[in-house]
Amino acid sequence: MTTPTDPRLPGDPGPDAAAVARVVAAALDEDLGTAPGRDVTTQATVGAGTTGTADLAARAEGVVAGLVVVPEVLAQVAERLGLPTPAARWVVPDGAPVRAGDVVARLEGPVQVLLVAERTLLNLVSRASGVATHTRRWADALEGTGAQVLDTRKTTPGLRALEKYAVRCGGGTNKRMGLHDVAMVKDNHVVAAGSVAAAVAAVRAAFPDVPVQVEVDRPEQADEALDAGADFLLLDNMDDATLRATVTRVRAREGETGHVDLEATGNLTLDRARAVARTGVDFLSVGALTHSSPILDLGLDLHAEG
């Protein structure tokens, strides 16, 4: 058994620690009741002094993600029970491919903590691993095209930091983390402001530090967005021919505008991914990475003593 010292995706800072702590606390409150809560089955059948070992193992083939939450779950459960925090030994880090039966981590410590933590730990790691597994299919489909798969804001409330981290574990790229870090001028904003130019100018005046993306659904709208000074264009629900024409139109102006990132979105499928990438877009954004990924089944197997 190899033991990496850090379960995070290599080279990645991991999800925001405060966000992870909040979601773990909320999940434990759901399962145990208001802190400190209780597990009436485990606390009745397992002595507080009993220690043991459990393996976190894959039940299916995929990409593992979310191991970074395991220490937080164990620590919060241990604190609630007033017991020592179990130790974790990592067999693989987040982002690693796994097959059914592979052990990804071994946990050792008070059995009460291991069993109380089990469902919260599995819910979060299985969810993140499902997102990473789905994302890997898209990343593989786009390999060699120069285009990357992006996520969206269509995330599970409370799980955004973890789900976007899982996208990175699967070889995808994060777009904006929320409404605060990138401006997205969509049709309703244009209606409210009066024009694309007015909407972009208003964002530039109020928040000059943020990049500005403009949604377009016809090639001629790209010119208006470029004239307004957009940094990034969202090409919405275009067929391949329209995408290609829009890309050509935008690239022809690069001497004037510099490189403007182009993102295809809407009606994207894995079967269509390479064809869309070959139109010359930089990114394909896929909301399904986070809103429709099935979990990757994992389990926690407690070793019998002796």
Side-chain angles (χ1 to χ4, degrees):
M1 175 182 290
T2 58
T3 54
T5 57
D6 189 337
R8 287 179 299 179
L9 177 70
D12 192 283
D16 177 71
V20 169
R22 285 194 301 271
V23 74
V24 168
L28 291 175
D29 280 347
E30 285 181 337
D31 223 14
L32 304 177
T34 304
R38 62 185 186 178
D39 174 346
V40 295
T41 309
T42 296
Q43 289 175 284
T45 59
V46 179
T50 303
T51 59
T53 302
D55 288 339
L56 178 60
R59 303 284 196 246
E61 182 177 355
V63 176
V64 71
L67 296 177
V68 290
V69 308
V70 172
E72 182 67 26
V73 176
L74 295 175
Q76 288 199 28
V77 170
E79 182 178 5
R80 288 176 183 237
L81 298 181
L83 294 171
T85 301
R89 291 190 289 160
W90 313 107
V91 180
V92 297
D94 283 333
V98 293
R99 295 175 298 179
D102 285 352
V103 173
V104 300
R106 176 158 291 175
L107 314 179
E108 299 179 60
V111 172
Q112 277 197 3
V113 177
L114 297 177
L115 296 186
V116 171
E118 177 180 5
R119 180 43 51 196
T120 293
L121 181 159
L122 290 175
N123 282 348
L124 294 172
V125 178
S126 294
R127 173 64 184 152
S129 297
V131 170
T133 299
H134 188 182
T135 303
R136 173 49 61 190
R137 296 191 188 106
W138 281 88
D140 288 347
L142 295 175
E143 187 173 3
T145 67
Q148 300 177 68
V149 64
L150 280 177
D151 54 20
T152 71
R153 288 171 47 242
K154 296 174 182 178
T155 53
T156 308
L159 293 183
R160 181 168 297 176
L162 180 61
E163 290 180 344
K164 282 183 171 280
Y165 169 70
V167 166
R168 302 196 300 272
C169 290
T173 303
N174 296 153
K175 191 182 177 183
R176 53 181 181 163
M177 294 302 291
L179 297 173
H180 57 92
D181 54 346
V182 174
M184 169 74 79
V185 176
K186 304 186 82 170
D187 51 1
N188 285 334
H189 301 107
V190 173
V191 170
S195 67
V196 170
V200 173
V203 173
R204 295 282 191 218
F207 303 104
D209 58 319
V210 301
V212 180
Q213 183 170 23
V214 175
E215 178 186 69
V216 302
D217 54 27
R218 301 186 308 278
E220 59 270 20
Q221 288 180 316
D223 287 328
E224 186 179 7
L226 293 176
D227 291 342
D231 303 302
F232 200 158
L233 301 187
L234 178 71
L235 310 182
D236 187 36
N237 282 300
M238 293 183 179
D239 60 28
D240 294 355
T242 306
L243 280 170
R244 195 172 296 108
T246 308
V247 170
T248 298
R249 196 178 190 116
V250 172
R251 298 296 180 234
R253 294 186 57 177
E254 283 193 345
E256 165 198 349
T257 64
H259 181 78
V260 174
D261 285 329
L262 300 176
E263 172 189 345
T265 191
N267 295 319
L268 300 180
T269 63
L270 277 169
D271 290 342
R272 189 184 167 214
R274 290 189 74 83
V276 171
R278 291 192 183 106
T279 67
V281 296
D282 301 286
F283 302 101
L284 284 70
S285 67
V286 180
L289 298 182
T290 50
H291 72 57
S292 295
S293 293
I295 67 160
L296 180 68
D297 192 17
L298 294 104
L300 190 70
D301 301 320
L302 186 67
H303 291 257
E305 292 188 13

